[in-house]
Amino acid sequence: QVQLVESGGGLVQPGGSLRLSCAASGSIVRINGMGWYRQAPGKQRELVATITPGGSTNYADSVKGRFTISRDNAKNTMALQMNSLKPEDTAMYYCNALIQSQWYVQNYWGQGTQVTVSS
């Protein structure tokens, strides 16, 4: 079984920083694209940032210049460094990955980690 587990969320004041981590485990042959998504109460889930196995990145306009996505292919992990956080960044953040296992290729989601930006 393949599993994605996020960590690192919490409560932070506006202007502060947080670092989210995502670890993939299980019968993994290869991890293709990975990404972070977020969903605020009453809103649809939206893309935050994505990263390819080669390290090419893509960011939502709302986080460009403040967030940095990275991954470690050897450790099957991904991170999101979030700086200059704003109240509008408050949301549940989800890790996503397209993973090739021993049997098939499937899109996986983590359980989510809450980020709250408030004074």
Side-chain angles (χ1 to χ4, degrees):
Q1 300 293 337
V2 174
Q3 189 177 18
L4 294 177
V5 178
E6 302 102 331
S7 61
L11 173 64
V12 63
Q13 292 185 343
S17 298
L18 279 176
R19 184 177 178 85
L20 305 184
S21 297
C22 173
S25 61
S27 300
I28 298 170
V29 173
R30 174 183 167 84
I31 300 179
N32 298 308
M34 302 184 79
W36 289 96
Y37 291 74
R38 67 186 181 187
Q39 187 168 19
K43 295 187 177 181
Q44 290 187 332
R45 188 172 297 188
E46 63 176 4
L47 181 148
V48 175
T50 60
I51 186 167
T52 67
S56 295
T57 59
N58 180 57
Y59 295 92
D61 288 343
S62 59
V63 307
K64 282 182 180 177
R66 300 188 297 123
F67 291 10
T68 302
I69 188 172
S70 60
R71 64 188 284 175
D72 186 327
N73 293 328
K75 296 181 179 179
N76 290 337
T77 59
M78 175 177 65
L80 185 68
Q81 178 66 42
M82 305 185 294
N83 299 327
S84 302
L85 282 161
K86 304 175 181 180
E88 50 263 44
D89 294 318
T90 295
M92 185 71 79
Y93 283 70
Y94 296 92
C95 170
N96 173 263
L98 186 64
I99 297 176
Q100 180 180 346
S101 69
Q102 181 178 353
W103 304 277
Y104 40 72
V105 178
Q106 185 171 330
N107 195 40
Y108 291 88
W109 291 92
Q111 81 288 352
T113 185
Q114 179 67 39
V115 171
T116 302
V117 184
S118 175
S119 55

